[in-house]
Amino acid sequence: MHGPDDRVQILNTAMYPWSAHASLLITANDYSSWIGTGWFIGPHTLATAGHCVYIKNSGVAGRDGWVRSIQVMPGRNGALLPFGFVTSSIYYSVTGWTVSGDENYDYAAINTPTNLGSTTGWLGIGSWPDAELLATAGNIAGYPGDKPAGTQWYASRQISSVTPLKVYYDIDTAGGQSGTAVYRAIGGDRYGFAIHAYGGTTVNSGTRINRAVYDNLVAWSA
């Protein structure tokens, strides 16, 4: 958070595009529990942060590595699960994250055992040039840990800066929103262009969906 909290709670979580955002309950190797956010990019695939599926440098014996399972709860609103949930143990990431722990490559995908995304709907993905992203309002919805458990919150603000691998923005987020989409609206459609991964003292950031990230997400969705 930077200054006043701009986030607003989403109450109609069963409606698109909120339905395409999923609360994640993550069980790590040492059976500790963590929360995150993912978003459907196809019928059985969600994009998320790499650190939601592969834990690096925790400093806790037995915790690092691929997580044991992830419970995916799309459109969650507290205790209400309008689409039920599925449990997944099939994930993908890149060696830039799983081997190097480089935050520039902190992205991943989760495959679900059913085509739940066909019911919830999904966001498109796209790769755009710097100038276009800098002229774009970024939108972020997700499941922050500083709000009542399992509630979805949303905020929007202009993109601050970009690099070839990252997008930076002053959109309010909190822990638990890692993995959610930074998306834009074009007409009635929504397209993710980054995957939120980090909070900072003055600016937050996500992994940019450049051509390589785009190609990987498409391949993981097959």
Side-chain angles (χ1 to χ4, degrees), residues 136-203:
T136 295
N139 302 275
I140 295 181
Y143 291 90
D146 65 336
K147 298 293 189 181
T151 56
Q152 188 176 141
W153 294 75
Y154 165 83
S156 177
R157 193 168 284 182
Q158 199 80 9
I159 296 304
S160 301
S161 63
V162 297
T163 71
L165 300 177
K166 297 269 287 188
V167 177
Y168 295 88
Y169 36 84
D170 186 21
I171 305 170
D172 285 333
T173 62
Q177 288 182 264
S178 283
T180 199
V182 187
Y183 70 91
R184 61 185 300 194
I186 302 177
D189 299 320
R190 277 80 168 180
Y191 297 89
F193 58 86
I195 300 167
H196 174 67
Y198 295 96
T201 54
T202 59
V203 71

Side-chain angles (χ1 to χ4, degrees), residues 85-97:
F85 69 90
V86 292
T87 302
S88 176
S89 56
I90 301 173
Y91 336 108
Y92 303 93
S93 190
V94 290
T95 55
W97 176 251

Side-chain angles (χ1 to χ4, degrees), residues 5-204:
D5 187 352
D6 295 331
R7 293 171 297 171
V8 295
Q9 186 176 358
I10 301 301
L11 298 176
N12 55 342
T13 55
M15 292 182 62
Y16 184 85
W18 322 117
S19 57
H21 294 77
S23 170
L24 305 180
L25 180 60
I26 301 158
T27 302
N29 260 326
D30 64 347
Y31 294 97
S32 60
S33 293
W34 303 88
I35 60 171
T37 302
W39 47 291
F40 276 100
I41 58 173
H44 60 265
T45 307
L46 301 96
T48 191
H51 67 262
C52 288
V53 307
Y54 193 99
I55 297 176
K56 287 288 292 184
N57 303 320
S58 69
V60 178
R63 180 170 296 173
D64 285 8
W66 296 104
V67 301
R68 290 183 178 271
S69 64
I70 300 178
Q71 190 176 100
V72 176
M73 297 167 279
R76 182 182 178 187
N77 187 8
L80 300 176
L81 301 178
F83 305 99
F85 69 90
V86 292
T87 302
S88 176
S89 56
I90 301 173
Y91 336 108
Y92 303 93
S93 190
V94 290
T95 55
W97 176 251
T98 61
V99 174
S100 303
D102 186 338
E103 71 172 47
N104 290 300
Y105 300 94
D106 192 348
Y107 72 99
I110 302 167
N111 276 3
T112 59
T114 69
N115 287 334
L116 187 55
S118 295
T119 303
T120 64
W122 61 80
L123 275 61
I125 56 174
S127 179
W128 284 276
D130 292 1
E132 190 165 349
L133 291 185
L134 291 171
T136 295
N139 302 275
I140 295 181
Y143 291 90
D146 65 336
K147 298 293 189 181
T151 56
Q152 188 176 141
W153 294 75
Y154 165 83
S156 177
R157 193 168 284 182
Q158 199 80 9
I159 296 304
S160 301
S161 63
V162 297
T163 71
L165 300 177
K166 297 269 287 188
V167 177
Y168 295 88
Y169 36 84
D170 186 21
I171 305 170
D172 285 333
T173 62
Q177 288 182 264
S178 283
T180 199
V182 187
Y183 70 91
R184 61 185 300 194
I186 302 177
D189 299 320
R190 277 80 168 180
Y191 297 89
F193 58 86
I195 300 167
H196 174 67
Y198 295 96
T201 54
T202 59
V203 71
N204 301 326

